[in-house]
Amino acid sequence: MTTIREKMKNGMLYVDIGEGLDEERQQCKELCFDYNNTRPTDLKTRETILKQLLGSAGENIWFEPPIHMAYGKHVHIGNDFYANFNLTLVDDGEIFIGNNVMIAPNVTITPTGHPIRPDLRLKGTQFSIPVKIGNNVWIGCNVVILPGITIGDNSVIGSGSVVTHDIPENVVAFGNPCRVIRKINDHDQEFYFKNRKIEGKI
């Protein structure tokens, strides 16, 4: 017989009741509450909580509170990560985030969704398909990233986007649904915003 955890891991339909899942979600809520209520200067406590909360994390990790997660332990983050206020990670399924990733305020990343059939939703049935975000990615404010999405290295996701399909590396993409607008190009090597030129050493 297939366990609920196996179904979660393999993208199958499941109902997340039993097998200790309720207790794990409750523990995650407690840790998020503790993190969100730390004083801004209490960096040691924040670091300790993140080690308990996340599945894995590299060096130089920063979350501006508040943060919201389902389990926490299904979140895997590389080095030099920054998330601004109000990041929501619906990590019933796994979320993989690379190195040097920046996330703006009010972003939701959800590997988890529900089937279209209403009779299945009545039971609370859901599915989880991992989300993968590459290295050097910048995600703008109010972005929603849906189940099973991969975002390639160096790409930028513009504010307000709903990401429903994979985004390749080295592109600027935005919209609802999010689509590739252009490749990162020579203009971007010389200008940081519209026609504002990069000058001097940063």
Side-chain angles (χ1 to χ4, degrees), residues 8 29 56 89 113 115 123-124 127 134 146 149 162-163 165 181 185:
M8 291 171 72
K29 289 178 184 177
S56 61
L89 302 173
K123 303 172 188 176
F127 60 88
L146 297 179
I149 296 300
V162 178
V163 187
H165 295 90
I181 303 301
N185 56 36

Side-chain angles (χ1 to χ4, degrees), residues 59-125:
E59 300 295 323
N60 194 25
I61 304 301
W62 187 269
F63 290 85
E64 293 285 0
I67 57 173
H68 312 279
M69 301 184 196
Y71 289 85
K73 68 177 188 175
H74 299 147
V75 177
H76 308 277
I77 299 175
N79 297 320
D80 302 308
F81 170 83
Y82 176 80
N84 215 319
F85 308 108
N86 206 33
L87 174 63
T88 299
L89 302 173
V90 189
D91 68 311
D92 298 76
E94 291 187 298
I95 298 172
F96 299 94
I97 299 174
N99 300 320
N100 305 302
V101 172
M102 296 193 307
I103 298 180
N106 300 315
V107 168
T108 297
I109 302 173
T110 176
T112 299
H114 299 279
I116 299 298
R117 275 177 47 187
D119 59 315
L120 293 176
R121 293 200 310 275
L122 287 173
K123 303 172 188 176
T125 304

Side-chain angles (χ1 to χ4, degrees), residues 112-195:
T112 299
H114 299 279
I116 299 298
R117 275 177 47 187
D119 59 315
L120 293 176
R121 293 200 310 275
L122 287 173
K123 303 172 188 176
T125 304
Q126 58 190 50
F127 60 88
S128 297
I129 304 172
V131 170
K132 299 175 183 178
I133 298 171
N135 299 319
N136 310 311
V137 171
W138 173 26
I139 298 170
C141 59
N142 298 306
V143 167
V144 177
I145 300 173
L146 297 179
I149 296 300
T150 295
I151 297 174
D153 292 348
N154 308 317
S155 287
V156 174
I157 308 298
S159 297
S161 297
V162 178
V163 187
T164 61
H165 295 90
D166 290 353
I167 302 297
E169 62 184 22
N170 298 309
V171 299
V172 175
F174 55 83
N176 181 6
C178 187
R179 62 194 183 282
V180 174
I181 303 301
R182 63 177 179 84
K183 290 185 177 181
I184 295 173
N185 56 36
D186 291 341
H187 184 273
D188 301 304
Q189 305 304 318
E190 191 175 353
F191 299 91
Y192 64 91
F193 179 69
K194 296 184 178 178
N195 291 316

Side-chain angles (χ1 to χ4, degrees), residues 34-35 38 42-52:
D34 290 344
Y35 187 89
T38 55
D42 195 357
L43 305 183
K44 187 66 177 175
T45 298
R46 288 186 179 184
E47 182 180 351
T48 299
I49 293 170
L50 287 178
K51 285 180 179 176
Q52 296 175 291

